[in-house]
Amino acid sequence: MSPKRVLIVGGVAGGASCAARLRRLDESAEIIIFEKGPYISFANCGLPYHISGVIEERSSLLVQTPERFKQAFRIEARVDSEVVSINRTARTIDVRDAAGRTCTEKFDYLVLAPGARPIKPPIPGIDLPGIHTLRNIPDMDAILAQIEKNVPRRALVIGGGYIGVEVAENLHARGIDCAIVEKLPQVMPPIDWEMANILHEHLRAKGIAVWLSDGVASFASDGDFAITTTLESGRRVGADLVILSIGVRPDVRLAREAGLTIGSIGGIAVDPHMLTNDPHIYAVGDAVEVTNIVTSAEALIPMAGPANRQGRIAADNICGRPSLYHGSQGTSIVKVFDLTVATTGINERQARAASIPYSKVYIHPADHAGYYPHAFQMAIKALFRTDDGRLLGAQIIGPKGVDKRIDVLAVALRAGLTVYDLQDLELAYAPPYGSAKDAVNMVGFVAANALEGLVDYV
Ligand code: FAD
């Protein structure tokens, strides 16, 4: 039998993981990655931190290169190569290189990992120079080039999701005055409003202006890169650097044009094997719809962990190992100056929308024993079912210890544990690290008290 030929569209999180796993499982397969940008396997998540210089070396963001992929894994990665169409009957793709030349390549299996595109609504002036999105290394280079050339004093970040907040912090670290404007009444939409208020206060205390419940009506050039942004409220904001970070949309153009099924909320539809409606085409990462494991509804959860794991699962299936993707729960974590905010599962808005009977508790434990130096308080909100106590979601904000609590709660949620189970978890304790009754146990104690009617919370 001749070796299978697997072609991969997109060479970053999902695509590169898929390629590496394919090689591990099949030494003879011919594996080619096509990446339309100039780099493969770069660290998107690190981009904001190179803008400030926290990640000093640009080269640190280039996790793999085509040369290393070839040498270490015998995987060919063609950069500056955009896949422009798929012919499902002939099982071929057309690829256009930087010089505009096209070639046709045949596949046994095709894996689509094209990611998601930043949303750019048709606002007047949106294409002015000085208005940037941040998705890849060339985007970051363009922002840095403008900073170096024009030395902006004021930046406006449109959108208070995690990329907007990270960019604002990193521009501020370079000495640029920064404001965030957000259409919703809060930043960081995955958490609830009252929790987000902790962040609003912290951002403002750090010198970031935060304007909520306001959107952009138009941009106008004031010469060079100076831009006046008029908000829907009528407020006019002058800035010499604008970052647009109002969210991303699955990149489904290729899939749609090839007649692959697009799901009800706009991502490529796949089954739990990451297979599309074509038995030779898989799709992974930000471009696909997943099932939210709490609500069982379709969801778009564009995060690096799911993309990497889905890439592996597609490779397993191509190599005859029937691995399954069991859904996403939206676990995420973000640094906001001196605080960390993290979440897993669903928030109150989602619980209400899904008509799930839920209850909630708030607790404010220290990250470790109060008598040991440098203990800091966290704010934890947990949601659980009122009927059986099953954990539905958690949100945590604090200066320290947030990461390990959210990960324990993420595992608990994935395992279907109840708040009663949280009481029983035996977690590592010594004074510098935690408390004999850990913050996660405390969630269980307080929630169980509520469910058992021992206390009423007001
Ligand atoms: P991508 O990694 O976006 O890769 C898709 C690639 O496909 C792109 O390079 C694109 O050029 C290429 N492509 C598209 N169409 C074609 C075509 N037709 N032909 C050839 N190539 C094509 N996630 C986290 O979990 N934690 C974080 O802290 C975090 N921080 C982030 C910070 C930033 C600034 C950004 C932009 C993203 C961040 N993410 C984070 C999200 C995470 O990077 C994505 O979820 C993940 O990279 C998605 O992987 P993917 O393979 O689906 O798509």
Side-chain angles (χ1 to χ4, degrees), residues 10 12-14 34-36 44-45 83 113-115 135 162 285-286 302-304 307:
V12 191
F34 297 91
E35 168 53 57
K36 75 173 169 193
N44 335 40
C45 312
V83 176
R135 178 188 181 187
Y162 75 90
D286 289 1
M303 305 297 299

Side-chain angles (χ1 to χ4, degrees), residues 373-395:
H374 310 303
F376 290 99
Q377 214 177 28
M378 294 178 277
I380 304 183
K381 175 176 182 177
L383 267 59
F384 46 95
R385 289 188 69 101
T386 34
D387 45 8
D388 60 7
R390 226 169 129 130
L391 189 64
L392 295 169
Q395 304 162 34

